[in-house]
Amino acid sequence: KNQVEQSPQSLIILEGKNCTLQCNYTVSPFSNLRWYKQDTGRGPVSLTIMTFSENTKSNGRYTATLDADTKQSSLHITASQLSDSASYICVVSAGGYGGSQGNLIFGKGTKLSVKP
Amino acid sequence: DAGITQSPRHKVTETGTPVTLRCHQTENHRYMYWYRQDPGHGLRLIHYSYGVKDTDKGEVSDGYSVSRSKTEDFLLTLESATSSQTSVYFCAIRTGMGSGSYEQYFGPGTRLTVT
């Protein structure tokens, strides 16, 4: 069964600190992996999209890594800010076009709280 | 936000009543989607559309129907709302045509409460 598991479920850090969120997946065939940020009361917003050939991808203070062999990804946030408080969702796209929704499998998200 | 709006943004309705949620986009994207988001679950696909009058079911389509008579509008209807359909509903569009790393943009969501 295609699944995406994220850890931890929630995390509290102090402003200015770094943190790393984890994503493990069992999706086959694999097409790409995405990280989304979802602020409270808003829709998810894409941070990165990585294909199997990409090991690392950065978007400002956000750096995603992908190990396609172990089927693991991480999202590292550097020098956290209060505005980083949000849920971070890992999404894996199963391969195969089929003119459909691309078979996106969503994780449940990690809720990050950044405290002053 | 890729020009996506949802209406209403909040709605409270009673069990058994029909409800229609609207998703509107301004950029003529072919693919549109309806998801629901519930505590303890990832986003789950309800229905999607790949063109005018072309729709298909997603993972949790029971109790929902959709219609797309114009490129810019994708409607989600709960024929007879139940308490289990209390949720936050997100519309999304997809940019690009390939099977690879297309982008998906989400609307602001509609919070529906069925009492």
Side-chain angles (χ1 to χ4, degrees), chain A residues 34 38 97 100-101 104, chain B residues 31 33 37 94 102 104:
Chain A
R34 307 148 182 260
Q38 184 176 22
Y97 177 60
S100 71
Q101 56 100 24
L104 297 181
Chain B
Y31 289 88
Y33 309 84
Q37 186 174 42
R94 164 181 157 173
Y102 57 86
Q104 193 168 58

Side-chain angles (χ1 to χ4, degrees), chain A:
Chain A
K1 180 182 178 183
N2 288 332
Q3 284 187 316
V4 175
E5 301 286 344
Q6 293 187 244
S7 62
Q9 280 188 304
S10 62
L11 182 63
I12 301 174
I13 62 173
L14 292 176
E15 185 179 13
K17 299 296 186 182
N18 303 335
C19 68
T20 301
L21 313 181
Q22 301 290 343
C23 174
N24 295 337
Y25 61 92
T26 55
V27 176
S28 183
F30 174 87
S31 178
N32 57 71
L33 185 144
R34 307 148 182 260
W35 283 95
Y36 285 87
K37 178 187 179 187
Q38 184 176 22
D39 292 316
T40 301
R42 307 193 69 169
V45 175
S46 179
L47 293 174
T48 65
I49 300 175
M50 302 176 71
T51 63
F52 73 94
S53 61
E54 296 176 292
N55 299 120
T56 303
K57 201 162 191 178
S58 292
N59 178 357
R61 295 180 297 101
Y62 300 101
T63 300
T65 65
L66 174 63
D67 186 333
D69 291 331
T70 62
K71 298 187 178 181
Q72 296 180 326
S73 176
S74 65
L75 180 69
H76 185 75
I77 304 174
T78 303
S80 61
Q81 300 176 357
L82 297 179
S83 59
D84 292 331
S85 294
S87 288
Y88 292 84
I89 303 171
C90 177
V91 185
V92 179
S93 177
Y97 177 60
S100 71
Q101 56 100 24
N103 299 320
L104 297 181
I105 297 100
F106 289 79
K108 297 177 183 179
T110 292
K111 186 170 184 178
L112 174 66
S113 296
V114 181
K115 303 296 186 183

Side-chain angles (χ1 to χ4, degrees), chain B residues 71-96:
Chain B
T71 299
E72 58 266 36
D73 289 325
F74 192 30
L75 304 180
L76 177 70
T77 298
L78 290 66
E79 303 290 347
S80 177
T82 67
S83 58
S84 65
Q85 292 176 312
T86 292
S87 186
V88 180
Y89 291 86
F90 288 100
C91 174
I93 60 94
R94 164 181 157 173
T95 63

Side-chain angles (χ1 to χ4, degrees), chain B residues 41-63:
Chain B
H41 293 273
L43 281 150
R44 293 181 290 175
L45 181 67
I46 304 171
H47 282 279
Y48 65 95
S49 169
Y50 46 96
V52 173
K53 297 185 179 179
D54 291 325
T55 65
D56 206 348
K57 297 179 180 180
E59 178 188 356
V60 291
S61 60
D62 288 348

Side-chain angles (χ1 to χ4, degrees), chain B:
Chain B
D1 61 358
I4 305 169
T5 57
Q6 293 184 231
S7 59
R9 293 294 314 278
H10 302 271
K11 186 170 182 65
V12 179
T13 192
E14 293 184 348
T15 299
T17 59
V19 177
T20 295
L21 309 182
R22 180 181 183 237
C23 177
H24 179 78
Q25 57 143 333
T26 59
E27 300 181 0
N28 293 321
H29 294 292
R30 180 181 175 190
Y31 289 88
M32 299 183 75
Y33 309 84
W34 277 108
Y35 292 90
R36 61 178 290 174
Q37 186 174 42
D38 305 289
H41 293 273
L43 281 150
R44 293 181 290 175
L45 181 67
I46 304 171
H47 282 279
Y48 65 95
S49 169
Y50 46 96
V52 173
K53 297 185 179 179
D54 291 325
T55 65
D56 206 348
K57 297 179 180 180
E59 178 188 356
V60 291
S61 60
D62 288 348
Y64 301 95
S65 63
V66 290
S67 66
R68 193 167 178 202
S69 58
K70 298 185 291 184
T71 299
E72 58 266 36
D73 289 325
F74 192 30
L75 304 180
L76 177 70
T77 298
L78 290 66
E79 303 290 347
S80 177
T82 67
S83 58
S84 65
Q85 292 176 312
T86 292
S87 186
V88 180
Y89 291 86
F90 288 100
C91 174
I93 60 94
R94 164 181 157 173
T95 63
M97 292 294 293
S99 61
S101 304
Y102 57 86
E103 278 286 4
Q104 193 168 58
Y105 294 92
F106 289 83
T110 293
R111 181 173 294 277
L112 176 67
T113 303
V114 183
T115 61

